[in-house]
Protein backbone atom coordinates (compact mmCIF):
# COMPACT_ATOMS: atom_id res chain seq x y z
CA UNK A 1 0.00 0.00 0.00
CA UNK A 2 1.34 3.50 -0.79
CA UNK A 3 2.33 5.81 2.04
CA UNK A 4 -0.38 8.10 3.34
CA UNK A 5 -0.34 11.35 5.25
CA UNK A 6 -3.12 11.81 7.79
CA UNK A 7 -3.02 14.50 10.47
CA UNK A 8 -5.18 16.61 12.73
CA UNK A 9 -3.60 20.01 13.29
CA UNK A 10 -4.26 23.06 15.42
CA UNK A 11 -1.87 24.97 13.14
CA UNK A 12 -2.71 26.41 9.70
CA UNK A 13 -2.43 23.89 6.87
CA UNK A 14 -0.01 24.42 4.00
CA UNK A 15 -1.89 23.03 0.96
CA UNK A 16 1.35 22.86 -1.03
CA UNK A 17 2.90 20.52 1.55
CA UNK A 18 -0.08 18.16 1.21
CA UNK A 19 0.19 18.22 -2.60
CA UNK A 20 3.96 17.71 -2.39
CA UNK A 21 3.47 14.60 -0.24
CA UNK A 22 1.42 12.83 -2.91
CA UNK A 23 3.37 14.08 -5.93
CA UNK A 24 5.73 11.63 -7.62
CA UNK A 25 7.38 11.27 -11.01
CA UNK A 26 5.01 8.52 -12.17
CA UNK A 27 1.89 10.60 -11.55
CA UNK A 28 0.57 13.05 -14.09
CA UNK A 29 -2.30 14.36 -11.97
CA UNK A 30 -2.60 15.76 -8.48
CA UNK A 31 -6.11 16.60 -7.34
CA UNK A 32 -6.53 18.42 -4.08
CA UNK A 33 -9.52 19.70 -2.21
CA UNK A 34 -9.50 22.63 0.18
CA UNK A 35 -12.41 23.05 2.55
CA UNK A 36 -12.60 26.77 3.31
CA UNK A 37 -14.56 28.43 6.11
CA UNK A 38 -17.39 30.32 4.39
CA UNK A 39 -19.35 33.31 5.66
CA UNK A 40 -22.73 31.57 5.72
CA UNK A 41 -24.53 28.32 6.38
CA UNK A 42 -27.72 28.09 4.35
CA UNK A 43 -29.54 31.35 5.18
CA UNK A 44 -27.49 32.41 8.25
CA UNK A 45 -24.36 34.55 8.31
CA UNK A 46 -21.35 32.88 9.94
CA UNK A 47 -18.48 34.89 11.44
CA UNK A 48 -16.18 32.08 12.61
CA UNK A 49 -15.93 28.36 13.42
CA UNK A 50 -14.40 26.24 16.15
CA UNK A 51 -13.48 22.66 15.27
CA UNK A 52 -13.09 20.05 17.99
CA UNK A 53 -11.84 16.54 17.35
CA UNK A 54 -12.37 13.30 19.22
CA UNK A 55 -9.05 12.09 20.74
CA UNK A 56 -8.94 9.30 18.14
CA UNK A 57 -9.92 11.47 15.16
CA UNK A 58 -6.48 11.14 13.60
CA UNK A 59 -6.80 7.34 13.64
CA UNK A 60 -10.15 7.61 11.83
CA UNK A 61 -8.62 10.04 9.33
CA UNK A 62 -5.71 7.66 8.72
CA UNK A 63 -8.15 4.78 8.16
CA UNK A 64 -9.98 6.85 5.52
CA UNK A 65 -6.71 7.64 3.76
CA UNK A 66 -5.44 4.07 4.00
CA UNK A 67 -8.72 2.70 2.68
CA UNK A 68 -8.62 4.87 -0.44
CA UNK A 69 -4.90 4.14 -0.94
CA UNK A 70 -5.42 0.39 -0.58
CA UNK A 71 -8.40 0.33 -2.92
CA UNK A 72 -6.79 2.51 -5.61
CA UNK A 73 -3.04 2.01 -5.15
CA UNK A 74 -2.65 5.81 -5.16
CA UNK A 75 -0.80 8.21 -2.87
CA UNK A 76 -3.27 9.90 -0.52
CA UNK A 77 -3.01 12.72 2.06
CA UNK A 78 -5.38 14.67 4.30
CA UNK A 79 -4.99 17.21 7.10
CA UNK A 80 -7.91 18.61 9.10
CA UNK A 81 -7.71 21.71 11.30
CA UNK A 82 -8.99 22.06 14.83
CA UNK A 83 -9.46 25.08 17.04
CA UNK A 84 -10.77 28.52 16.13
CA UNK A 85 -10.94 29.41 12.43
CA UNK A 86 -11.99 32.61 10.68
CA UNK A 87 -13.87 33.03 7.42
CA UNK A 88 -11.43 32.24 4.62
CA UNK A 89 -9.27 29.86 6.68
CA UNK A 90 -8.51 26.38 5.33
CA UNK A 91 -10.24 23.70 7.43
CA UNK A 92 -9.38 20.59 5.38
CA UNK A 93 -6.91 19.72 2.67
CA UNK A 94 -7.15 16.35 0.94
CA UNK A 95 -4.96 15.33 -2.01
CA UNK A 96 -4.52 12.33 -4.29
CA UNK A 97 -1.97 11.74 -7.04
CA UNK A 98 -2.54 9.37 -9.97
CA UNK A 99 -1.19 8.71 -13.44
CA UNK A 100 -4.37 10.22 -14.96
CA UNK A 101 -6.84 12.93 -13.91
CA UNK A 102 -10.04 10.86 -13.87
CA UNK A 103 -8.79 8.44 -11.24
CA UNK A 104 -7.29 11.28 -9.20
CA UNK A 105 -10.58 13.23 -9.22
CA UNK A 106 -12.61 10.14 -8.29
CA UNK A 107 -10.28 9.10 -5.47
CA UNK A 108 -10.11 12.62 -4.00
CA UNK A 109 -13.91 12.94 -4.05
CA UNK A 110 -14.22 9.54 -2.36
CA UNK A 111 -11.66 10.55 0.27
CA UNK A 112 -13.45 13.79 1.16
CA UNK A 113 -16.80 12.01 1.48
CA UNK A 114 -15.25 9.32 3.71
CA UNK A 115 -13.69 11.99 5.93
CA UNK A 116 -16.98 13.86 6.28
CA UNK A 117 -18.85 10.65 7.11
CA UNK A 118 -16.36 8.91 9.40
CA UNK A 119 -13.97 11.29 11.16
CA UNK A 120 -15.31 12.50 14.52
CA UNK A 121 -14.74 16.23 14.19
CA UNK A 122 -17.43 18.70 15.16
CA UNK A 123 -17.80 22.36 14.36
CA UNK A 124 -19.31 25.18 16.30
CA UNK A 125 -20.58 28.01 14.13
CA UNK A 126 -20.52 31.56 15.44
CA UNK A 127 -23.11 34.07 14.24
CA UNK A 128 -23.00 37.91 14.07
CA UNK A 129 -25.30 38.49 17.05
CA UNK A 130 -22.92 36.51 19.29
CA UNK A 131 -24.85 33.25 19.35
CA UNK A 132 -23.40 29.91 18.25
CA UNK A 133 -24.46 26.35 17.52
CA UNK A 134 -22.76 22.97 17.19
CA UNK A 135 -23.06 21.13 13.88
CA UNK A 136 -22.64 17.39 13.58
CA UNK A 137 -23.35 16.42 17.18
Amino acid sequence: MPDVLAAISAEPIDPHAVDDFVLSAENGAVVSFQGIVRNHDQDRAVTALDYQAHPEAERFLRECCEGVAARTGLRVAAIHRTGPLRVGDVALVAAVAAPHRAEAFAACAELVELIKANVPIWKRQHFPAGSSEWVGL
Side-chain angles (χ1 to χ4, degrees), residues 24-60:
S24 65
E26 64 270 6
N27 290 317
V30 172
V31 172
S32 62
F33 168 84
Q34 294 181 35
I36 310 294
V37 177
R38 63 181 180 264
N39 67 357
H40 69 281
D41 183 20
Q42 298 177 7
D43 60 345
R44 296 182 76 181
V46 172
T47 58
L49 297 178
D50 293 319
Y51 279 101
Q52 290 197 3
H54 185 277
E56 293 190 49
E58 192 165 282
R59 178 178 63 83
F60 284 93

Side-chain angles (χ1 to χ4, degrees), residues 5-130:
L5 168 66
I8 304 294
S9 176
E11 300 301 318
I13 303 168
D14 177 1
H16 298 293
V18 180
D19 287 352
D20 288 347
F21 179 85
V22 298
L23 186 61
S24 65
E26 64 270 6
N27 290 317
V30 172
V31 172
S32 62
F33 168 84
Q34 294 181 35
I36 310 294
V37 177
R38 63 181 180 264
N39 67 357
H40 69 281
D41 183 20
Q42 298 177 7
D43 60 345
R44 296 182 76 181
V46 172
T47 58
L49 297 178
D50 293 319
Y51 279 101
Q52 290 197 3
H54 185 277
E56 293 190 49
E58 192 165 282
R59 178 178 63 83
F60 284 93
L61 182 62
R62 177 166 296 285
E63 289 173 358
C64 291
C65 291
E66 288 174 344
V68 172
R71 189 185 66 68
T72 64
L74 303 177
R75 291 182 59 85
V76 174
I79 301 177
H80 202 299
R81 278 286 303 274
T82 57
L85 281 79
R86 298 183 316 250
V87 171
D89 285 347
V90 178
L92 169 66
V93 177
V96 176
H100 304 285
R101 68 183 177 272
E103 60 192 322
F105 275 114
C108 192
E110 177 186 352
L111 177 61
V112 171
E113 293 305 319
L114 283 171
I115 291 168
K116 295 277 291 171
N118 296 304
V119 180
I121 296 177
W122 307 279
K123 70 179 175 183
R124 182 179 181 186
Q125 299 183 125
H126 296 273
F127 305 109

